[in-house]
């Protein structure tokens, strides 16, 4: 298209390939692809990971031992030190206030030729004291000649994310800064503002070109702050715009079902409940009732901690649909959970003379056939099942309500597939993953949310302890006392995919030991390798207290409900994630008896700060799932917390769900207002916005539109 190196680049635009930028070229362009940069515009949105400036750089005189610090200075001396056997590379860095010794014990040959005396350099690492202040194996960034003194000149120096590809192509931060020096003066030609004027004024956002200049070459802290605010805002804004459009267009569908009357079954079911609903359950129920009564399609998330009583609410919703002559499908992520729901649902609905059936993958032959026929002809008003419910062969007579349990196990697509089995049907999604509101807003931003934030009154906090294997004998003693009082116990072994066989063996061996330990009580084992009949049979017997100690892999993780079980012993608890531990613990503390959860840490003596130890401590400290989720998010970050790819949770470039929540709220309002006023984004004010949205978010939007 054009040559590199010429000073005037006339016919370039944001879409021009990045290789045509001066200082890039084909080899570096290839390396840039590894970070998703293909065009000039992509390059502009490749943001610095952090900055060196007065607030982040520490003068050497002020260093303290054990501090994580960044120091900027010039190379005063360098060379190999130590004997022939244990030699290392040493570099003395000097600023106006003192000297810092940097040492490298590995890769020394390469290091020797890497630096020149007099060269400006930034190093980051932990400060140690050994013959003066020093750092071992610090990270380093080379600086330009004019960048050597950010502390006194007030300069702000961007540092870019790096990887091996970029490094070997010579694209370090210094090079990227130079490339931006060349690109930024051309911003005028490269891109135009796309946020509507009205949004920019209302939320006081700087124009995009200011923002990009401010992020890559900030003149001062203020322009950097403005740049960051604008760019974070827009990142949230486009996400929320996607959700707003999704929601608007889902609800603008022809018309949803209107369940005018609450129907004959609702009151009967209500009377059958052996308890009074909690205030939070009633509130959720009212919200659902209002959705079902109105002609808009219900798309509601029912969020509540394990044991908060979501299933009851779902059943009441189902009774409205069935009472109005529609079918209900309840989909659960595992067979065991589907079976359990099936038993609960059938327990109530049989008394209402409403047939209930179970459809899972393992159902075969004539039974399966008769269920498929029953669904097609409408003889089965209430079906409970797994993914099997969304198979192509499954036809419904008149599906009116889809209930999806443990949504985080299903993708958005599967939610859509179940809903697609009927016409404009209502959807109720249940999740026990208590996520902070800001997260819910993004992950489920197209759903209305009801939160059950109150536990049934008969619940007591679960007593949680972490122990080492040395204390097991005493714990067994304690469990025996519980068993003698008529209670039951779970013992859980981890199941980790890589070594399923080994884990199974651990569980089986544990089972044998426990059988001896708890002689006189019925001990049995539950794991994924058993046939469905065996699993169901053992669960049933545990429910009926014919089994007192249930040894299990994590198949019991979600949903299982045996109020008489008061003890849970989790083996190798250090191998579980926080959310999973909390889910497991939720299996006890479901009745009126005081319940206990014992976490066995077999990782050996660990320092208190190890991640596993921290997780266990959080479990001991908190019972509330929302608090635990918060802590988990802090420990792992949203990407890992949700499993970015699987959940569709966005990878943010610059904004941060934990720290930028104010902006998230603002951006959400802005986006929903825009869509409210102009649902097709056809207004003059929205031409550029729509273009930008389609250029950058089309794929995600359409994916979601299927749902
Ligand atoms: P979740 O699905 O939210 O984990 P469940 O619906 O399975 O919770 O309810 C957990 C247990 O609490 C069940 O045994 C259920 O019958 C019981 N339960 C539900 N609501 C109440 C309530 N309001 N009062 C007392 N017990 C309740
Ligand atoms: Mg449940």
């Amino acid at each position: 298209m054009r040559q590199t190196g010429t000073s005037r680049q006339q016919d370039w635009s944001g879409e021009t390939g990045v290789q045509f930028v001066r200082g890039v070229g084909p080899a570096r362009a290839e390396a840039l692809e590894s970070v998703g940069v293909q065009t000039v515009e992509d390059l502009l949105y490749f943001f610095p990971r952090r900055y060196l400036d007065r607030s982040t750089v520490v003068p050497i005189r002020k260093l303290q031992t054990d501090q994580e610090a960044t120091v900027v200075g010039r190379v005063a001396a360098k060379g190999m030190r130590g004997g022939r056997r244990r030699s290392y590379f040493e570099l003395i860095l000097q600023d106006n206030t003192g000297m810092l010794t940097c040492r490298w014990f590995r890769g020394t040959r390469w290091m020797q030729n890497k630096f020149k005396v007099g060269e400006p350099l930034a190093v980051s690492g932990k400060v140690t004291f050994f013959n003066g202040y020093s750092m071992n194996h610090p990270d380093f960034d080379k600086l330009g000649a004019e960048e050597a003194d950010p502390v006194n000149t007030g300069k702000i120096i961007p540092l870019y994310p790096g990887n091996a590809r970029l490094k070997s192509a010579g694209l370090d931060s210094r090079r990227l800064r130079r490339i931006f020096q060349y690109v930024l003066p051309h911003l005028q030609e490269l891109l135009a503002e796309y946020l509507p004027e009205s949004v920019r004024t209302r939320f006081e956002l700087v124009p995009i070109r200011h923002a990009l200049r401010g992020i890559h070459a900030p003149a001062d802290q203020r322009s950097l702050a403005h740049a960051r605010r604008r760019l974070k805002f827009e990142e949230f804004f486009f996400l929320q715009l996607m959700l707003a459009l999704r929601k608007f267009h889902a609800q603008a569908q022809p018309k949803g079902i209107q369940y005018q009357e609450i129907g004959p079954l609702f009151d009967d079911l209500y009377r059958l409940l052996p308890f009074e609903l909690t205030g939070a359950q009633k509130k959720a129920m009212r919200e659902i009732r209002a959705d079902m009564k109105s002609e808009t399609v219900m798309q509601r998330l029912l969020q509540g901690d394990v044991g908060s009583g979501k299933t009851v609410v779902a059943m009441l919703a189902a009774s409205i649909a069935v009472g109005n002559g529609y079918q209900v499908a309840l989909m659960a992520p595992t067979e065991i959970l589907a079976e359990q729901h099936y038993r609960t649902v059938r327990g109530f609905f049989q008394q209402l003379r409403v047939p209930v059936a179970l459809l899972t993958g393992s159902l075969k032959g004539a039974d399966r056939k008769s269920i498929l026929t029953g669904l097609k002809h409408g003889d089965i008003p209430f079906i409970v099942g797994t993914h099997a419910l969304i198979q192509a062969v499954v036809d419904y007579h008149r599906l009116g309500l889809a209930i999806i349990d443990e949504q985080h196990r299903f993708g958005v697509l599967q939610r859509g597939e179940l809903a697609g089995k009927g016409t404009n049907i209502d959807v109720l999604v249940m999740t026990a993953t208590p996520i902070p509101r800001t997260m819910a807003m993004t992950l489920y931003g197209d759903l209305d949310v009801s939160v059950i934030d109150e536990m049934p009154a008969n619940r007591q906090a679960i007593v949680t302890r972490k122990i080492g294997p040395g204390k097991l004998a005493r714990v067994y003693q304690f469990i025996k006392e519980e068993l003698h009082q008529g209670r039951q116990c779970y013992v859980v072994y981890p199941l980790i995919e890589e070594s399923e066989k080994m884990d199974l063996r651990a569980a089986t061996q544990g089972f044998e030991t426990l059988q001896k330990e708890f002689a006189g009580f019925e001990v049995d084992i539950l794991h994924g390798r058993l046939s469905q009949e065996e699993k169901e049979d053992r669960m049933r017997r545990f429910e009926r207290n014919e089994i007192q100690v249930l040894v299990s892999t994590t198949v019991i993780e979600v949903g299982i409900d045996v109020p008489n079980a008061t003890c849970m012993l989790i083996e190798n608890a250090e191998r579980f994630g926080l959310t999973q531990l909390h889910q497991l613990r939720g299996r006890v503390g479901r009745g009126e008896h005081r319940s206990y959860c014992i976490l066995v840490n077999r990782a050996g003596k660990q320092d208190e700060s190890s991640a596993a130890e921290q997780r266990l401590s959080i479990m001991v400290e908190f019972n509330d799932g929302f608090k635990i989720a918060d802590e988990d998010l802090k420990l792992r970050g949203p990407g890992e917390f949700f499993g970015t790819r699987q959940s569709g949770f966005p990878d943010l470039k610059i904004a941060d769900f934990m720290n930028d929540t104010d902006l998230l709220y603002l951006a959400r309002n802005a986006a929903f207002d825009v869509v409210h006023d102009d649902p097709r984004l056809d207004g003059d004010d929205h031409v550029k916005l729509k273009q930008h949205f389609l250029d950058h978010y089309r794929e995600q939007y359409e994916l979601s539109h299927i749902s």
Side-chain angles (χ1 to χ4, degrees):
M1 188 183 188
R2 51 158 303 104
Q3 307 294 305
T4 58
T6 18
S7 57
R8 274 198 62 77
Q9 302 210 332
Q10 277 151 358
D11 48 346
W12 72 339
S13 71
E15 278 148 59
T16 304
V18 72
Q19 71 267 28
F20 300 111
V21 173
R22 185 156 79 184
V24 181
R28 287 187 175 147
E30 223 173 275
L32 280 166
E33 263 202 73
S34 71
V35 288
V37 173
Q38 293 182 332
T39 65
V40 177
E41 185 181 339
D42 296 339
L43 183 66
L44 287 169
Y45 289 83
F46 182 61
F47 298 140
R49 71 179 195 283
R50 66 190 194 97
Y51 297 85
L52 296 178
D53 64 28
R54 233 179 243 151
S55 65
T56 56
V57 173
V58 184
I60 292 175
R61 184 167 43 86
K62 296 204 171 152
L63 289 176
Q64 287 170 359
T65 310
D66 283 343
Q67 175 188 18
E68 291 283 344
T70 299
V71 170
V72 173
R74 286 177 188 272
V75 179
K78 58 162 195 166
M80 294 303 294
R81 297 278 181 278
R84 189 175 294 171
R85 282 242 232 84
R86 294 199 50 210
S87 67
Y88 57 91
F89 176 69
E90 193 174 87
L91 180 151
I92 312 287
L93 194 70
Q94 181 169 28
D95 71 3
N96 297 336
T97 69
M99 307 242 205
L100 173 76
T101 308
C102 303
R103 298 190 185 92
W104 282 269
F105 299 91
R106 292 181 302 275
T108 50
R109 182 189 298 230
W110 180 75
M111 299 300 296
Q112 285 180 66
N113 305 317
K114 189 84 194 160
F115 306 99
K116 292 195 200 70
V117 171
E119 185 178 46
L121 192 67
V123 297
S124 304
K126 190 168 177 173
V127 180
T128 50
F129 195 87
F130 179 73
N131 286 344
Y133 286 117
S134 49
M135 283 184 189
N136 292 337
H137 286 272
D139 285 338
F140 64 88
D141 281 281
K142 294 192 170 204
L143 305 178
E146 71 295 347
E147 298 170 330
D149 187 7
V151 178
N152 289 307
T153 57
K155 256 197 184 315
I156 303 174
I157 303 164
L159 298 181
Y160 289 88
N163 63 27
R165 296 282 315 272
L166 293 180
K167 243 186 232 162
S168 69
L171 283 165
D172 60 7
S173 290
R174 183 170 50 162
R175 175 83 59 183
L176 283 163
R177 288 194 295 274
R178 242 186 261 153
I179 291 170
F180 278 112
Q181 257 174 33
Y182 174 67
V183 175
L184 292 175
H186 295 275
L187 276 177
Q188 188 80 12
E189 305 133 60
L190 291 178
L191 87 179
E193 180 62 71
Y194 40 80
L195 281 189
E197 182 67 35
S198 56
V199 171
R200 280 208 306 105
T201 353
R202 179 170 156 209
F203 297 98
E204 301 178 324
L205 304 167
V206 296
I208 185 60
R209 293 184 197 129
H210 286 217
L212 291 173
R213 227 172 278 128
I215 209 79
H216 291 296
D220 50 32
Q221 286 296 345
R222 211 169 138 253
S223 56
L224 177 58
H226 284 162
R228 295 173 68 103
R229 187 168 178 279
R230 147 83 202 223
L231 294 168
K232 285 176 175 186
F233 180 95
E234 83 167 55
E235 193 163 41
F236 283 142
F237 177 81
F238 281 106
L239 273 176
Q240 295 298 329
L241 192 65
M242 178 163 68
L243 297 168
L245 287 167
R246 210 194 273 175
K247 182 170 181 185
F248 183 87
H249 291 291
Q251 291 185 337
Q253 277 166 1
K255 259 204 326 185
I257 304 158
Q258 253 182 302
Y259 304 93
Q260 279 294 0
E261 300 304 321
I262 201 153
L265 299 174
F266 183 89
D267 288 335
D268 291 346
L269 176 58
Y270 204 101
R271 268 193 291 275
L272 285 176
L273 297 178
F275 43 72
E276 180 71 9
L277 292 187
T278 62
Q281 282 172 317
K282 284 182 186 161
K283 178 156 178 284
M285 200 54 241
R286 276 197 299 275
E287 288 162 350
I288 291 168
R289 170 67 190 131
D291 281 352
M292 293 181 76
K293 194 170 180 172
S294 89
E295 64 173 32
T296 50
V297 173
M298 171 162 79
Q299 292 194 296
R300 184 167 288 278
L301 176 72
L302 182 60
Q303 200 193 335
D305 207 347
V306 275
S308 60
K310 296 181 292 295
T311 314
V312 176
V313 172
M315 282 195 299
L316 285 165
S319 75
I320 299 177
V322 175
N324 279 271
Y326 285 87
Q327 285 173 301
V328 175
L330 193 171
M331 182 162 75
T334 64
E335 293 210 353
I336 288 222
L337 194 53
E339 288 153 15
Q340 160 124 15
H341 275 315
Y342 169 64
R343 287 197 296 274
T344 311
V345 167
R346 198 186 46 187
F348 284 103
F349 280 75
Q350 253 176 1
Q351 300 180 65
L352 306 173
R353 290 190 192 75
V354 173
V356 180
L358 174 69
L359 181 62
T360 63
S362 53
L363 190 68
K364 298 265 148 52
D367 292 341
R368 178 180 150 86
K369 218 167 179 178
S370 92
I371 288 184
L372 292 185
T373 317
L375 283 175
K376 196 170 178 172
H377 295 148
D379 307 329
I380 300 174
F382 201 150
I383 183 83
V384 181
T386 55
H387 297 83
L389 295 178
I390 53 178
Q391 288 167 340
V393 293
V394 185
D395 278 329
Y396 295 81
H397 173 64
R398 203 176 179 221
L399 188 60
L401 172 66
I403 303 169
I404 298 165
D405 194 17
E406 305 299 344
Q407 158 78 9
H408 68 290
R409 301 285 190 98
F410 292 109
V412 169
L413 286 178
Q414 288 159 326
R415 195 211 301 170
E417 277 176 49
L418 186 55
K421 292 285 186 184
T423 315
N424 304 326
I425 69 169
D426 288 332
V427 177
L428 182 66
V429 171
M430 302 194 282
T431 177
T433 310
I435 49 178
R437 252 188 80 77
T438 51
M439 298 284 162
M441 220 183 246
T442 302
L443 202 52
Y444 305 114
D446 54 335
L447 302 177
D448 296 305
V449 179
S450 295
V451 182
I452 305 187
D453 52 4
E454 178 187 357
M455 283 290 178
N458 57 0
R459 299 294 154 75
Q460 302 181 26
I462 298 161
V463 179
T464 304
R465 295 282 178 270
K466 50 175 177 151
I467 62 162
K471 294 241 173 74
L472 265 177
R474 264 168 66 192
V475 167
Y476 288 154
Q477 199 50 44
F478 173 78
I479 291 175
K480 270 178 233 166
E481 285 162 26
E482 284 289 301
L483 297 177
H484 278 298
Q485 289 179 30
R487 304 287 87 76
Q488 290 163 274
C489 177
Y490 295 101
V491 180
V492 181
Y493 284 84
L495 187 62
I496 295 189
E497 276 140 51
E498 308 123 45
S499 59
E500 197 181 329
K501 265 204 196 117
M502 260 178 60
D503 287 318
L504 190 56
R505 196 162 63 216
T508 335
Q509 280 169 1
F511 167 55
E512 283 159 14
T513 318
L514 292 167
Q515 266 184 321
K516 292 191 197 106
E517 184 69 41
F518 299 115
F521 294 102
E522 191 61 29
V523 182
D524 216 329
I525 182 166
L526 194 69
H527 57 74
R529 292 282 177 84
L530 296 173
S531 74
Q532 190 202 333
E533 291 81 48
E534 283 171 308
K535 278 188 280 188
E536 186 165 355
D537 179 58
R538 287 177 201 186
M539 267 319 299
R540 278 222 171 117
R541 282 168 49 222
F542 188 64
E543 274 186 331
R544 292 197 297 252
N545 199 1
E546 292 164 15
I547 294 172
Q548 284 80 45
V549 179
L550 188 64
V551 180
S552 166
T553 57
T554 48
V555 291
I556 59 150
E557 185 188 340
V558 281
I560 285 176
D561 183 26
V562 179
N564 190 48
T566 55
C567 282
M568 169 161 291
L569 180 75
I570 303 181
E571 272 289 353
N572 284 105
E574 78 281 355
R575 285 165 66 177
F576 292 86
L578 258 181
T579 303
Q580 203 181 15
L581 286 173
H582 179 67
Q583 291 272 354
L584 283 169
R585 182 171 60 181
R587 300 308 107 221
V588 296
R590 301 174 79 86
E592 76 260 38
H593 306 290
R594 179 172 277 279
S595 291
Y596 305 87
C597 176
I598 295 130
L599 306 168
V600 186
N601 183 354
R602 287 192 182 267
K605 262 274 166 273
Q606 292 233 349
D607 63 326
E608 279 286 311
S609 63
S610 80
E613 198 52 43
Q614 274 184 49
R615 288 197 295 273
L616 301 187
S617 301
I618 289 166
M619 286 297 294
V620 171
E621 185 173 353
F622 299 111
N623 256 294
D624 179 342
F626 282 91
K627 292 241 172 62
I628 289 173
D630 264 349
E631 297 293 324
D632 202 9
L633 266 162
K634 274 186 220 152
L635 280 181
R636 292 196 290 160
E640 239 190 283
F641 182 84
F642 294 110
T644 304
R645 211 182 312 141
Q646 168 213 349
S647 66
F649 202 81
D651 242 343
L652 295 179
K653 277 188 179 168
I654 185 165
D656 174 343
F657 283 104
M658 301 301 282
N659 297 310
D660 301 319
T661 46
D662 293 353
L663 272 182
L664 173 56
Y665 283 103
L666 295 182
R668 179 174 174 87
N669 286 340
F672 275 73
D673 286 352
V674 164
V675 171
H676 179 264
D677 295 343
D678 181 10
R680 311 213 147 268
L681 304 182
D682 286 338
D684 288 346
D685 203 22
H686 296 153
V687 177
K688 289 258 164 48
L689 176 71
K690 185 171 185 172
Q691 195 53 50
H692 188 87
F693 177 75
L694 289 176
D695 286 350
H696 296 85
Y697 295 83
R698 176 178 297 191
E699 229 170 85
Q700 290 176 54
Y701 178 65
E702 285 182 353
L703 189 75
S704 68
H705 209 68
I706 304 170
S707 62

